[in-house]
Amino acid sequence: MKAIQITEPGQIHIIEKEKPVPKPGEALLQTLYGGICGADVASYTGNQPFTTYPRIPGHEFSARIVSIPENDRGLKSGDIVTANPYFNCGSCYACRRGIVNACHDNQTMGVQRDGAFQEYITMPVERIIPGKGLPAETLALIEPFSISCHALSRAPIHPGDNLLIMGAGPIGLFALIKAKSMGAKVMIADLLENRLRLAAAYGADATVQVGKQNLHAAAMEFTESNGFDVCVEACGAPETFMNCIEEAAVGANLILIGNGKRETTFVHSVLLKKELNLFGSRNAFTRDFESLIDLVSAGGVDLSQMVTGVYPFPKAKDAFEVLRHNDGSAAKLLIRFEE
C-alpha cells in the first residue's frame, strides 16, 4: 500500500509499505479522508518538538471498516467511522485518575507514532467511534472540533456569557461554533481578514481585526465595559494570552488551547487582582467525539464551510505547502485517500 511520509523536515514523499495486519482486538480500516492539522505542518517544517523522523502524519481522519472482530458495540465491516487518536498507557498517575487525554506517555497518531495518512491502518476496536451516517468528509473534521469542545468543557459557560476567542484559525473557529451552540455571545479576534469573514459566517457576534482595529475599545463596547466572562486563547502566542488577561472580567475563566512556543512574561498579580481562573486543555475524550457527532448529525452544525480545499492522495505535498505558506485564505484542507 501507499503512505505519506515526512522523511525529514521539509521532505514529504509517497512511499510503498506493507499493508498492516490487525492484532487481536484490532480492526483493519481503509482511510477515506484526512485533515491536515497544525501539528502535521509543524512536523513538516521541523517545528514540532515531539516528532521523530521518518513519520507518517495524520490524526484527523475518517475511514471504512474493512474487517473487525465480533464486538458488543455494533461495529461491522463497511461502517464509516473515525477514532480517538491519542494513545495512553493506562497505568500512569494521569491515566489512573481518568485524565487519559494528558497521559504521561501520550502518543498521538502522526506525532509520537505513525498516523492515518496511509491507505490502511489498524485500530483497537475500543478506539473506533461510529460515524452515525455523517459523510466521510465531515467525519474527518470531528477530531479538531473535539479539541475545541473539550477546551470549552474545562470551565462553566452559560447562555448569555460574553466570550472572547483570540485566534480564528480552525481551532478558534471550532471553539466559536461550540460556544454559540451553548448560547454564549462571542467576539473573535485575529490578524487576518479572511479568517474573520469565515467567523462571521459561523455566527460570531463581533469580529476584530487586530492591528487595524482597537481590541480593547471593541471589547469594552461589546461587554458594556465589564470585560469578558470567558476568554479562549487559541493561538499559543504570548501576546494573545496577555490580551485574554487584559480583556477578562473580574472572576473570569481563561481557557488555553493554543500550544505556546515562546515564553510569556508578566507580573502574576494581575491574575490575583481580578481573581481569574486559568484552565489548560489538552487533546480530548472519546465522549467529546461522540457528543459532536450527535450534534452535527442532528443538523445542529454545518461544517462544510470549514473545508477550503480537498487534495487527492498523490498531491499531498501541495496541500502541506499551501498551509506552510498560508495567508489566511486556507482554513481546513483535506486529503482524499480513496480514488
Side-chain angles (χ1 to χ4, degrees), residues 6-42:
I6 302 171
T7 54
E8 60 182 272
Q11 297 295 319
I12 190 166
H13 302 281
I14 306 296
I15 65 165
E16 294 279 349
K17 61 173 293 191
E18 291 294 320
K19 186 176 176 180
V21 177
K23 299 174 183 175
E26 291 184 341
L28 178 65
L29 307 181
Q30 179 187 9
T31 308
L32 298 177
Y33 286 87
I36 303 176
C37 175
D40 298 319
V41 178

Side-chain angles (χ1 to χ4, degrees), residues 69 103 112 124 132 156 162 169 196 279 294 308-309:
C103 170
Q112 293 94 345
K132 295 190 175 180
N162 289 317
L196 293 174
F279 297 86
D294 287 339
T308 50

